[in-house]
Amino acid sequence: MTKSSKQATPQQPESFEAASAELEKIVTAMEAGQMSLEASLAAYQRGAELLQYCQNKLQGAQQQVRVLEAGMLKNFTRSDSDER
C-alpha cells in the first residue's frame, strides 16, 4: 500500500529553481552513462515529472504577466514636465 501511494503522489519540488537544479543533476548523471537500467528509468521518470512541474510554473507565470499587462499597461501621454 505504501508503494502505490508513493507512485500516486510524487514528491513536489520546493520551487521552480529547486526543480530546475534537480533536473540538471539528473541530466548530468544520465549523460555520464554510469547508471543501471533501472536507475536510468527511475531518473527519466523523475526528470519527466520535474519537467512537467517547471512547464506548469512557467505557464502560470506567463498567465500572470498577461493579466498584469491587460489590466495595468495603458498608453500614457507624456506631459511637458516629463520630457525634460
Side-chain angles (χ1 to χ4, degrees):
M1 186 175 230
T2 309
K3 195 173 194 178
S4 64
S5 64
K6 278 187 179 179
Q7 290 175 353
T9 56
Q11 183 181 11
Q12 288 290 325
E14 293 179 19
S15 65
F16 175 86
E17 291 77 11
S20 180
E22 185 180 348
L23 186 55
E24 189 173 329
K25 287 179 186 176
I26 289 171
V27 170
T28 301
M30 290 183 78
E31 285 178 342
Q34 300 299 316
M35 301 173 98
S36 68
L37 178 61
E38 292 80 15
S40 293
L41 289 173
Y44 183 86
Q45 181 178 0
R46 179 62 178 163
E49 292 166 357
L50 291 167
L51 180 61
Q52 183 65 44
Y53 174 87
C54 289
Q55 288 174 337
N56 289 340
K57 287 291 188 181
L58 287 173
Q59 287 174 352
Q62 287 174 337
Q63 183 60 33
Q64 286 180 326
V65 168
R66 284 189 206 106
V67 168
L68 291 172
E69 286 177 345
M72 298 181 81
L73 295 180
K74 299 179 183 348
N75 290 328
F76 291 104
T77 57
R78 296 178 105 184
S79 66
D80 290 338
S81 62
D82 290 341
E83 292 179 9
R84 289 185 224 172

PDB file of all heavy atoms in Angstrom, residues 4 7 9 11 14 16 23 28-29 38 41-42 48 52 54-57 64 67-68 70 73 79-80 82:
ATOM      1  N   SER A   4       2.219   2.037  -3.656  1.00  0.00           N
ATOM      2  CA  SER A   4       1.278   2.650  -4.585  1.00  0.00           C
ATOM      3  C   SER A   4       0.992   4.097  -4.216  1.00  0.00           C
ATOM      4  O   SER A   4       0.775   4.922  -5.074  1.00  0.00           O
ATOM      5  CB  SER A   4      -0.024   1.854  -4.653  1.00  0.00           C
ATOM      6  OG  SER A   4      -0.670   1.896  -3.396  1.00  0.00           O
ATOM      7  N   GLN A   7       3.762   6.249  -5.669  1.00  0.00           N
ATOM      8  CA  GLN A   7       3.622   6.446  -7.099  1.00  0.00           C
ATOM      9  C   GLN A   7       2.512   7.439  -7.411  1.00  0.00           C
ATOM     10  O   GLN A   7       2.605   8.194  -8.355  1.00  0.00           O
ATOM     11  CB  GLN A   7       3.342   5.121  -7.794  1.00  0.00           C
ATOM     12  CG  GLN A   7       4.550   4.199  -7.778  1.00  0.00           C
ATOM     13  CD  GLN A   7       4.234   2.842  -8.372  1.00  0.00           C
ATOM     14  OE1 GLN A   7       3.083   2.533  -8.673  1.00  0.00           O
ATOM     15  NE2 GLN A   7       5.251   2.017  -8.527  1.00  0.00           N
ATOM     16  N   THR A   9       1.537  10.035  -5.569  1.00  0.00           N
ATOM     17  CA  THR A   9       1.887  11.397  -5.186  1.00  0.00           C
ATOM     18  C   THR A   9       3.398  11.586  -5.192  1.00  0.00           C
ATOM     19  O   THR A   9       4.063  11.364  -4.189  1.00  0.00           O
ATOM     20  CB  THR A   9       1.332  11.729  -3.783  1.00  0.00           C
ATOM     21  OG1 THR A   9       1.824  10.753  -2.867  1.00  0.00           O
ATOM     22  CG2 THR A   9      -0.167  11.748  -3.744  1.00  0.00           C
ATOM     23  N   GLN A  11       6.996  13.400  -5.061  1.00  0.00           N
ATOM     24  CA  GLN A  11       7.463  14.482  -4.214  1.00  0.00           C
ATOM     25  C   GLN A  11       7.562  15.769  -5.034  1.00  0.00           C
ATOM     26  O   GLN A  11       8.217  15.819  -6.061  1.00  0.00           O
ATOM     27  CB  GLN A  11       8.827  14.128  -3.642  1.00  0.00           C
ATOM     28  CG  GLN A  11       9.374  15.154  -2.683  1.00  0.00           C
ATOM     29  CD  GLN A  11      10.746  14.764  -2.168  1.00  0.00           C
ATOM     30  OE1 GLN A  11      11.363  13.843  -2.665  1.00  0.00           O
ATOM     31  NE2 GLN A  11      11.203  15.470  -1.179  1.00  0.00           N
ATOM     32  N   GLU A  14      10.409  22.203  -4.015  1.00  0.00           N
ATOM     33  CA  GLU A  14      10.108  23.380  -3.205  1.00  0.00           C
ATOM     34  C   GLU A  14       9.818  24.596  -4.063  1.00  0.00           C
ATOM     35  O   GLU A  14       9.051  25.469  -3.666  1.00  0.00           O
ATOM     36  CB  GLU A  14      11.282  23.688  -2.277  1.00  0.00           C
ATOM     37  CG  GLU A  14      11.503  22.648  -1.208  1.00  0.00           C
ATOM     38  CD  GLU A  14      12.691  22.975  -0.324  1.00  0.00           C
ATOM     39  OE1 GLU A  14      13.112  24.146  -0.291  1.00  0.00           O
ATOM     40  OE2 GLU A  14      13.180  22.062   0.340  1.00  0.00           O
ATOM     41  N   PHE A  16      10.484  26.428  -8.404  1.00  0.00           N
ATOM     42  CA  PHE A  16      10.917  26.258  -9.788  1.00  0.00           C
ATOM     43  C   PHE A  16      12.424  26.074  -9.851  1.00  0.00           C
ATOM     44  O   PHE A  16      12.934  25.206 -10.563  1.00  0.00           O
ATOM     45  CB  PHE A  16      10.492  27.483 -10.611  1.00  0.00           C
ATOM     46  CG  PHE A  16      11.000  27.447 -12.025  1.00  0.00           C
ATOM     47  CD1 PHE A  16      10.294  26.780 -13.005  1.00  0.00           C
ATOM     48  CD2 PHE A  16      12.178  28.090 -12.368  1.00  0.00           C
ATOM     49  CE1 PHE A  16      10.765  26.732 -14.318  1.00  0.00           C
ATOM     50  CE2 PHE A  16      12.650  28.053 -13.677  1.00  0.00           C
ATOM     51  CZ  PHE A  16      11.950  27.372 -14.645  1.00  0.00           C
ATOM     52  N   LEU A  23      16.624  18.715 -11.932  1.00  0.00           N
ATOM     53  CA  LEU A  23      16.567  18.231 -13.303  1.00  0.00           C
ATOM     54  C   LEU A  23      17.947  18.286 -13.957  1.00  0.00           C
ATOM     55  O   LEU A  23      18.357  17.344 -14.649  1.00  0.00           O
ATOM     56  CB  LEU A  23      15.558  19.064 -14.105  1.00  0.00           C
ATOM     57  CG  LEU A  23      15.247  18.621 -15.524  1.00  0.00           C
ATOM     58  CD1 LEU A  23      14.778  17.177 -15.561  1.00  0.00           C
ATOM     59  CD2 LEU A  23      14.206  19.537 -16.135  1.00  0.00           C
ATOM     60  N   THR A  28      22.819  15.442 -15.954  1.00  0.00           N
ATOM     61  CA  THR A  28      24.263  15.230 -15.851  1.00  0.00           C
ATOM     62  C   THR A  28      24.579  13.779 -15.507  1.00  0.00           C
ATOM     63  O   THR A  28      25.471  13.161 -16.110  1.00  0.00           O
ATOM     64  CB  THR A  28      24.859  16.171 -14.786  1.00  0.00           C
ATOM     65  OG1 THR A  28      24.589  17.523 -15.158  1.00  0.00           O
ATOM     66  CG2 THR A  28      26.353  15.976 -14.648  1.00  0.00           C
ATOM     67  N   ALA A  29      23.845  13.221 -14.553  1.00  0.00           N
ATOM     68  CA  ALA A  29      24.073  11.830 -14.150  1.00  0.00           C
ATOM     69  C   ALA A  29      23.754  10.869 -15.291  1.00  0.00           C
ATOM     70  O   ALA A  29      24.503   9.902 -15.520  1.00  0.00           O
ATOM     71  CB  ALA A  29      23.224  11.491 -12.925  1.00  0.00           C
ATOM     72  N   GLU A  38      17.652   0.204 -14.442  1.00  0.00           N
ATOM     73  CA  GLU A  38      16.579   0.545 -13.509  1.00  0.00           C
ATOM     74  C   GLU A  38      16.727   1.984 -13.002  1.00  0.00           C
ATOM     75  O   GLU A  38      15.758   2.730 -12.917  1.00  0.00           O
ATOM     76  CB  GLU A  38      16.541  -0.438 -12.331  1.00  0.00           C
ATOM     77  CG  GLU A  38      16.123  -1.840 -12.701  1.00  0.00           C
ATOM     78  CD  GLU A  38      17.261  -2.672 -13.314  1.00  0.00           C
ATOM     79  OE1 GLU A  38      18.443  -2.275 -13.200  1.00  0.00           O
ATOM     80  OE2 GLU A  38      16.949  -3.699 -13.924  1.00  0.00           O
ATOM     81  N   LEU A  41      15.819   4.434 -15.772  1.00  0.00           N
ATOM     82  CA  LEU A  41      14.367   4.557 -15.949  1.00  0.00           C
ATOM     83  C   LEU A  41      13.741   5.402 -14.845  1.00  0.00           C
ATOM     84  O   LEU A  41      12.884   6.253 -15.109  1.00  0.00           O
ATOM     85  CB  LEU A  41      13.719   3.172 -15.997  1.00  0.00           C
ATOM     86  CG  LEU A  41      13.992   2.365 -17.265  1.00  0.00           C
ATOM     87  CD1 LEU A  41      13.452   0.949 -17.118  1.00  0.00           C
ATOM     88  CD2 LEU A  41      13.399   3.053 -18.480  1.00  0.00           C
ATOM     89  N   ALA A  42      14.186   5.186 -13.610  1.00  0.00           N
ATOM     90  CA  ALA A  42      13.672   5.975 -12.488  1.00  0.00           C
ATOM     91  C   ALA A  42      14.071   7.443 -12.641  1.00  0.00           C
ATOM     92  O   ALA A  42      13.257   8.347 -12.391  1.00  0.00           O
ATOM     93  CB  ALA A  42      14.187   5.423 -11.160  1.00  0.00           C
ATOM     94  N   ALA A  48      10.948  13.606 -16.079  1.00  0.00           N
ATOM     95  CA  ALA A  48       9.701  13.962 -16.760  1.00  0.00           C
ATOM     96  C   ALA A  48       8.737  14.676 -15.804  1.00  0.00           C
ATOM     97  O   ALA A  48       8.068  15.639 -16.185  1.00  0.00           O
ATOM     98  CB  ALA A  48       9.043  12.710 -17.341  1.00  0.00           C
ATOM     99  N   GLN A  52       7.505  18.600 -16.212  1.00  0.00           N
ATOM    100  CA  GLN A  52       6.090  18.977 -16.202  1.00  0.00           C
ATOM    101  C   GLN A  52       5.838  20.045 -15.142  1.00  0.00           C
ATOM    102  O   GLN A  52       5.111  21.012 -15.382  1.00  0.00           O
ATOM    103  CB  GLN A  52       5.211  17.752 -15.936  1.00  0.00           C
ATOM    104  CG  GLN A  52       3.726  18.037 -15.981  1.00  0.00           C
ATOM    105  CD  GLN A  52       3.268  18.460 -17.365  1.00  0.00           C
ATOM    106  OE1 GLN A  52       3.661  17.863 -18.367  1.00  0.00           O
ATOM    107  NE2 GLN A  52       2.457  19.485 -17.447  1.00  0.00           N
ATOM    108  N   CYS A  54       7.994  22.262 -13.980  1.00  0.00           N
ATOM    109  CA  CYS A  54       8.579  23.520 -14.454  1.00  0.00           C
ATOM    110  C   CYS A  54       7.721  24.155 -15.547  1.00  0.00           C
ATOM    111  O   CYS A  54       7.499  25.376 -15.539  1.00  0.00           O
ATOM    112  CB  CYS A  54       9.994  23.291 -14.973  1.00  0.00           C
ATOM    113  SG  CYS A  54      11.203  22.925 -13.677  1.00  0.00           S
ATOM    114  N   GLN A  55       7.227  23.347 -16.456  1.00  0.00           N
ATOM    115  CA  GLN A  55       6.369  23.872 -17.523  1.00  0.00           C
ATOM    116  C   GLN A  55       5.097  24.484 -16.951  1.00  0.00           C
ATOM    117  O   GLN A  55       4.661  25.550 -17.384  1.00  0.00           O
ATOM    118  CB  GLN A  55       6.030  22.778 -18.530  1.00  0.00           C
ATOM    119  CG  GLN A  55       7.200  22.392 -19.398  1.00  0.00           C
ATOM    120  CD  GLN A  55       6.900  21.210 -20.300  1.00  0.00           C
ATOM    121  OE1 GLN A  55       6.015  20.404 -20.038  1.00  0.00           O
ATOM    122  NE2 GLN A  55       7.669  21.101 -21.375  1.00  0.00           N
ATOM    123  N   ASN A  56       4.507  23.822 -15.958  1.00  0.00           N
ATOM    124  CA  ASN A  56       3.297  24.355 -15.323  1.00  0.00           C
ATOM    125  C   ASN A  56       3.577  25.685 -14.621  1.00  0.00           C
ATOM    126  O   ASN A  56       2.774  26.618 -14.693  1.00  0.00           O
ATOM    127  CB  ASN A  56       2.710  23.351 -14.339  1.00  0.00           C
ATOM    128  CG  ASN A  56       2.090  22.159 -15.027  1.00  0.00           C
ATOM    129  OD1 ASN A  56       1.752  22.205 -16.203  1.00  0.00           O
ATOM    130  ND2 ASN A  56       1.960  21.066 -14.308  1.00  0.00           N
ATOM    131  N   LYS A  57       4.711  25.764 -13.927  1.00  0.00           N
ATOM    132  CA  LYS A  57       5.085  27.012 -13.250  1.00  0.00           C
ATOM    133  C   LYS A  57       5.292  28.140 -14.253  1.00  0.00           C
ATOM    134  O   LYS A  57       4.858  29.274 -14.031  1.00  0.00           O
ATOM    135  CB  LYS A  57       6.356  26.815 -12.410  1.00  0.00           C
ATOM    136  CG  LYS A  57       6.137  26.007 -11.156  1.00  0.00           C
ATOM    137  CD  LYS A  57       5.293  26.789 -10.181  1.00  0.00           C
ATOM    138  CE  LYS A  57       5.219  26.102  -8.850  1.00  0.00           C
ATOM    139  NZ  LYS A  57       4.392  26.827  -7.894  1.00  0.00           N
ATOM    140  N   GLN A  64       0.023  35.116 -15.457  1.00  0.00           N
ATOM    141  CA  GLN A  64       0.021  36.263 -14.549  1.00  0.00           C
ATOM    142  C   GLN A  64       0.514  37.514 -15.254  1.00  0.00           C
ATOM    143  O   GLN A  64      -0.040  38.605 -15.059  1.00  0.00           O
ATOM    144  CB  GLN A  64       0.887  35.987 -13.327  1.00  0.00           C
ATOM    145  CG  GLN A  64       0.257  35.036 -12.349  1.00  0.00           C
ATOM    146  CD  GLN A  64       1.159  34.784 -11.150  1.00  0.00           C
ATOM    147  OE1 GLN A  64       2.382  34.752 -11.266  1.00  0.00           O
ATOM    148  NE2 GLN A  64       0.562  34.606  -9.988  1.00  0.00           N
ATOM    149  N   VAL A  67      -2.249  38.848 -17.464  1.00  0.00           N
ATOM    150  CA  VAL A  67      -3.273  39.528 -16.667  1.00  0.00           C
ATOM    151  C   VAL A  67      -2.785  40.915 -16.258  1.00  0.00           C
ATOM    152  O   VAL A  67      -3.516  41.900 -16.359  1.00  0.00           O
ATOM    153  CB  VAL A  67      -3.651  38.686 -15.426  1.00  0.00           C
ATOM    154  CG1 VAL A  67      -4.475  39.484 -14.437  1.00  0.00           C
ATOM    155  CG2 VAL A  67      -4.405  37.429 -15.856  1.00  0.00           C
ATOM    156  N   LEU A  68      -1.551  40.985 -15.808  1.00  0.00           N
ATOM    157  CA  LEU A  68      -0.998  42.277 -15.405  1.00  0.00           C
ATOM    158  C   LEU A  68      -0.914  43.235 -16.582  1.00  0.00           C
ATOM    159  O   LEU A  68      -1.250  44.416 -16.459  1.00  0.00           O
ATOM    160  CB  LEU A  68       0.386  42.094 -14.773  1.00  0.00           C
ATOM    161  CG  LEU A  68       0.402  41.411 -13.414  1.00  0.00           C
ATOM    162  CD1 LEU A  68       1.832  41.112 -12.993  1.00  0.00           C
ATOM    163  CD2 LEU A  68      -0.292  42.270 -12.372  1.00  0.00           C
ATOM    164  N   ALA A  70      -2.722  43.248 -19.287  1.00  0.00           N
ATOM    165  CA  ALA A  70      -4.068  43.627 -19.728  1.00  0.00           C
ATOM    166  C   ALA A  70      -4.697  44.647 -18.784  1.00  0.00           C
ATOM    167  O   ALA A  70      -5.414  45.547 -19.227  1.00  0.00           O
ATOM    168  CB  ALA A  70      -4.953  42.390 -19.823  1.00  0.00           C
ATOM    169  N   LEU A  73      -1.175  47.965 -18.132  1.00  0.00           N
ATOM    170  CA  LEU A  73      -0.454  48.696 -19.159  1.00  0.00           C
ATOM    171  C   LEU A  73      -1.431  49.449 -20.051  1.00  0.00           C
ATOM    172  O   LEU A  73      -2.269  48.873 -20.702  1.00  0.00           O
ATOM    173  CB  LEU A  73       0.401  47.754 -20.005  1.00  0.00           C
ATOM    174  CG  LEU A  73       1.540  47.068 -19.269  1.00  0.00           C
ATOM    175  CD1 LEU A  73       2.298  46.169 -20.228  1.00  0.00           C
ATOM    176  CD2 LEU A  73       2.484  48.090 -18.675  1.00  0.00           C
ATOM    177  N   SER A  79       3.547  64.452 -20.369  1.00  0.00           N
ATOM    178  CA  SER A  79       3.320  65.877 -20.180  1.00  0.00           C
ATOM    179  C   SER A  79       4.616  66.619 -20.446  1.00  0.00           C
ATOM    180  O   SER A  79       5.688  66.035 -20.499  1.00  0.00           O
ATOM    181  CB  SER A  79       2.815  66.164 -18.759  1.00  0.00           C
ATOM    182  OG  SER A  79       3.831  65.845 -17.835  1.00  0.00           O
ATOM    183  N   ASP A  80       4.550  67.898 -20.577  1.00  0.00           N
ATOM    184  CA  ASP A  80       5.747  68.707 -20.859  1.00  0.00           C
ATOM    185  C   ASP A  80       6.793  68.545 -19.783  1.00  0.00           C
ATOM    186  O   ASP A  80       7.987  68.550 -20.052  1.00  0.00           O
ATOM    187  CB  ASP A  80       5.376  70.174 -21.007  1.00  0.00           C
ATOM    188  CG  ASP A  80       4.595  70.423 -22.283  1.00  0.00           C
ATOM    189  OD1 ASP A  80       4.695  69.615 -23.216  1.00  0.00           O
ATOM    190  OD2 ASP A  80       3.891  71.444 -22.339  1.00  0.00           O
ATOM    191  N   ASP A  82       7.490  65.888 -18.064  1.00  0.00           N
ATOM    192  CA  ASP A  82       8.138  64.584 -18.119  1.00  0.00           C
ATOM    193  C   ASP A  82       9.185  64.496 -19.226  1.00  0.00           C
ATOM    194  O   ASP A  82      10.052  63.648 -19.183  1.00  0.00           O
ATOM    195  CB  ASP A  82       7.093  63.474 -18.377  1.00  0.00           C
ATOM    196  CG  ASP A  82       6.177  63.256 -17.178  1.00  0.00           C
ATOM    197  OD1 ASP A  82       6.571  63.685 -16.066  1.00  0.00           O
ATOM    198  OD2 ASP A  82       5.113  62.655 -17.366  1.00  0.00           O
TER     199      ASP A  82
END
